[in-house]
Structure formats: C-alpha cells, structure tokens
C-alpha cells in the first residue's frame, strides 16, 4: 500500500524518511468537524494518485452544506458546488 515510485526516488537520493506515529487529526484539531477531518486526511495521503483532485474535494460532505454561509462568498460557493455536481 506504499507509494512505490516515491520510495524508489527517495532510495536513489539516499534519503531516509523519518518514522512517525500517525497523529489523530481530531485530537490535533478538536474544533474541526468530522467532515473537515475527512477532507484534510485525504489531502495529506502520501501517494498522490490516492489524493482527491480539486473537483473531487468539492464532492466531500464538507462542501455540501453551505446553508450556514452568508454574503457573496456563500453564493459563489453554492454555485461552484452545484456546477461540479
């Protein structure tokens, strides 16, 4: 499940990745919603082929509920999400 191409490139440069214990993003950002954590987690995936594209990000639940927004930003966000759907 590793990103083989990235590991090969690192090995060719004699780069060794530091080993870290995964961080629970919900503990790191306790005020963030589950929807925010989901999109952040997926955008931080090591393998770029597994990361969502920009339009793929707009399909996440985080961007689906724009009813609480007000002002011109809300109208722009709602139109963008609707156009992508």
């Amino acid at each position: 499940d590793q990103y083989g191409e990235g590991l090969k490139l690192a090995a060719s440069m004699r780069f060794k990745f530091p080993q870290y214990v995964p961080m629970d993003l919900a503990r790191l950002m306790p005020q963030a919603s589950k929807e925010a954590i989901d999109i952040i987690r997926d955008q931080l995936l090591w393998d770029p082929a597994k990361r969502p594209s920009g339009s793929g990000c707009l399909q996440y639940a985080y961007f689906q509920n724009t009813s609480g927004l007000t002002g011109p930003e809300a109208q722009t966000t709602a139109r963008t999400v609707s156009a992508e759907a």
Side-chain angles (χ1 to χ4, degrees), residues 2-17 46-48:
Q2 295 289 325
Y3 173 42
E5 187 177 328
L7 293 174
K8 286 179 191 173
L9 177 60
S12 72
M13 298 168 50
R14 295 187 178 134
F15 179 80
K16 294 197 181 213
F17 289 97
W46 163 243
D47 186 344

Side-chain angles (χ1 to χ4, degrees), residues 23-65:
M23 172 68 79
D24 179 8
L25 293 176
R27 270 184 63 197
L28 184 64
M29 300 176 282
Q31 289 81 18
S33 66
K34 178 193 177 307
E35 293 81 7
I37 297 294
D38 288 345
I39 193 169
I40 292 168
R41 180 198 61 236
D42 288 356
Q43 289 176 326
L44 294 173
L45 289 172
W46 163 243
D47 186 344
K50 294 181 181 179
R51 290 182 215 139
S53 65
S55 60
C57 285
L58 292 176
Q59 303 308 310
Y60 277 74
Y62 181 80
F63 290 108
Q64 299 307 308
N65 183 5

